[in-house]
């Protein structure tokens, strides 16, 4: 576990027992265990979503133009450059 041996874990536990106290240590350990469990469940759910992600259809052609909903015309890759607006605040 994280490259720690039994001796290191005992030392860490004793230091935690001294600083935290015997009454609060079980609560802390319980909260830490719940947090680790929730993290593992979230990581598992994330990896499951990546595995279940639907593949893109390879038979679709990419030559068909995309139609936008706003103007119902094919979208283009052209960028329209507008002239700068005049600032009328300094008159």
């Amino acid at each position: 576990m994280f490259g720690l041996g039994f001796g290191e874990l005992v030392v860490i536990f004793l230091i935690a027992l001294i600083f935290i106290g015997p009454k609060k240590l079980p609560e802390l350990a319980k909260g830490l265990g719940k947090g680790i469990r929730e993290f593992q469940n979230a990581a598992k759910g994330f990896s499951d979503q990546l595995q279940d992600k639907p593949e893109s259809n390879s038979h679709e052609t990419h030559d068909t133009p995309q139609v936008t909903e706003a103007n119902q015309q094919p979208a283009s890759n052209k960028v329209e450059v507008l002239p700068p607006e005049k600032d009328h605040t300094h008159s």
Side-chain angles (χ1 to χ4, degrees):
M1 178 162 114
F2 302 114
L4 298 175
F6 181 73
E8 290 95 354
L9 290 175
V10 169
V11 171
I12 292 171
F13 176 75
L14 289 175
I15 292 172
L17 187 62
I18 291 169
F19 284 108
I20 296 172
K23 292 182 181 180
K24 296 267 184 178
L25 193 59
E27 293 175 24
L28 181 68
K30 186 177 181 180
L32 184 62
K34 284 183 180 180
I36 291 172
R37 191 176 318 115
E38 287 178 16
F39 179 77
Q40 289 174 342
N41 289 340
K44 184 178 183 292
F46 181 71
S47 65
D48 289 346
Q49 282 183 348
L50 288 178
Q51 291 176 354
D52 292 342
K53 184 177 179 182
E55 303 268 335
S56 64
N57 294 336
S58 59
H59 61 82
E60 290 181 10
T61 60
H62 297 286
D63 298 334
T64 57
Q66 298 292 326
V67 177
T68 61
E69 292 180 20
N71 58 10
Q72 296 298 319
Q73 294 180 1
S76 67
N77 293 336
K78 295 179 184 177
V79 176
E80 182 180 343
V81 178
L82 299 175
E85 294 182 16
K86 296 195 178 202
D87 188 13
H88 297 288
T89 58
H90 297 290
S91 49

